[in-house]
Amino acid sequence: AQSVTQLGSHVSVSEGALVLLRCNYSSSVPPYLFWYVQYPNQGLQLLLKYTTGATLVKGINGFEAEFKKSETSFHLTKPSAHMSDAAEYFCAVRSNTGTASKLTFGTGTRLQVTL
Amino acid sequence: DTGVSQDPRHKITKRGQNVTFRCDPISEHNRLYWYRQTLGQGPEFLTYFQNEAQLEKSRLLSDRFSAERPKGSFSTLEIQRTEQGDSAMYLCASSLARTGELFFGEGSRLTVL
């Protein structure tokens, strides 16, 4: 079974500061990993994904994440936060074998951006 | 591409009533998923369809819940005899089998009084 742990339910950064949102996964097989963003009263939007190949993946809105197998991590970063980045961020894992197509999500990290 | 649409966006009902949510996926997507999200939590998988076949159901999906995708296009999620614990956001997502990337709708928020 796969699982995801997001450390820190709330993260606050100043505008222009580095954003770091942490995600650790557990999977018995090589995982597919995703980061989604959710704005209030809206659905989830895909930021980026890792399947195979390059371990540093770039996504939309200047976000990127690095897959580190040795640390079972997939942390999300952005060099400079913008006010519009304030939202809830979810890390998710999906098995890439068999018929297990569902995503398993973490509990989310709410990002607050202050002036 | 009009995206995944869900209807209604909000539903308030009294305990014991039945409710039905509809999801229209992206037209060429053959997989459709239902998730439930409660306040402060991540989405939890309920069930998914490939075309019209329901391939997996979570243990969260009690016998009061039923989902259908009769023609492999839109899907409905019905909750019978609603309970206050059913209050949540119900999210629908669709994908192409070969990519696995899920595209979510904006959700249907259920409040059971």
Side-chain angles (χ1 to χ4, degrees):
Chain A
Q2 296 80 37
S3 66
V4 166
T5 301
Q6 291 185 242
L7 296 176
S9 58
H10 290 83
V11 170
S12 182
V13 300
S14 300
E15 190 174 35
L18 171 72
V19 175
L20 170 61
L21 304 182
R22 298 178 186 275
C23 172
N24 288 88
Y25 70 90
S26 172
S27 178
S28 56
V29 296
Y32 287 179
L33 294 160
F34 303 79
W35 275 99
Y36 281 84
V37 61
Q38 186 178 34
Y39 297 99
N41 297 314
Q42 293 189 23
L44 281 73
Q45 180 183 9
L46 181 67
L47 278 177
L48 50 80
K49 64 180 179 182
Y50 169 78
T51 54
T52 59
T55 56
L56 181 64
V57 292
K58 295 186 184 299
I60 62 171
N61 301 339
F63 284 94
E64 62 182 37
E66 186 171 11
F67 170 64
K68 292 187 176 180
K69 184 178 178 181
S70 62
E71 299 177 8
T72 62
S73 69
F74 191 58
H75 301 330
L76 181 71
T77 60
K78 181 174 180 177
S80 176
H82 191 273
M83 296 296 288
S84 62
D85 294 327
E88 187 96 23
Y89 292 80
F90 293 95
C91 182
V93 62
R94 173 196 166 212
S95 169
N96 64 347
T97 62
T99 60
S101 299
K102 62 183 183 289
L103 296 183
T104 300
F105 287 86
T107 53
T109 297
R110 182 168 299 278
L111 176 66
Q112 180 182 21
V113 182
T114 59
L115 290 172
Chain B
D1 180 359
T2 56
V4 178
S5 62
Q6 294 188 244
D7 183 71
R9 291 291 311 280
H10 303 274
K11 179 70 176 180
I12 300 173
T13 191
K14 293 182 179 179
R15 189 177 54 183
Q17 298 296 304
N18 299 342
V19 297
T20 299
F21 301 113
R22 176 181 169 123
C23 172
D24 287 89
I26 294 172
S27 57
E28 64 268 27
H29 286 185
N30 53 0
R31 287 188 174 175
L32 186 148
Y33 306 78
W34 286 99
Y35 282 79
R36 181 173 71 185
Q37 185 180 22
T38 54
L39 200 61
Q41 298 297 316
E44 297 172 294
F45 170 80
L46 293 179
T47 188
Y48 96 94
F49 294 82
Q50 180 153 324
N51 300 313
E52 65 274 12
Q54 189 172 17
L55 295 186
E56 189 171 348
K57 294 194 291 187
S58 163
R59 280 170 285 183
L60 293 174
L61 213 65
S62 76
D63 56 7
R64 296 185 297 105
F65 287 69
S66 63
E68 295 182 341
R69 194 182 184 198
K71 296 183 180 180
S73 56
F74 73 92
S75 175
T76 59
L77 176 68
E78 181 182 18
I79 309 174
Q80 296 182 325
R81 305 181 303 281
T82 52
E83 302 172 356
Q84 289 185 326
D86 297 331
S87 296
M89 176 79 87
Y90 290 86
L91 294 166
C92 177
S94 68
S95 75
L96 287 170
R98 60 180 172 80
T99 66
E101 178 181 330
L102 271 62
F103 293 81
F104 282 84
E106 295 193 327
S108 294
R109 182 170 294 283
L110 174 64
T111 302
V112 182
L113 302 176

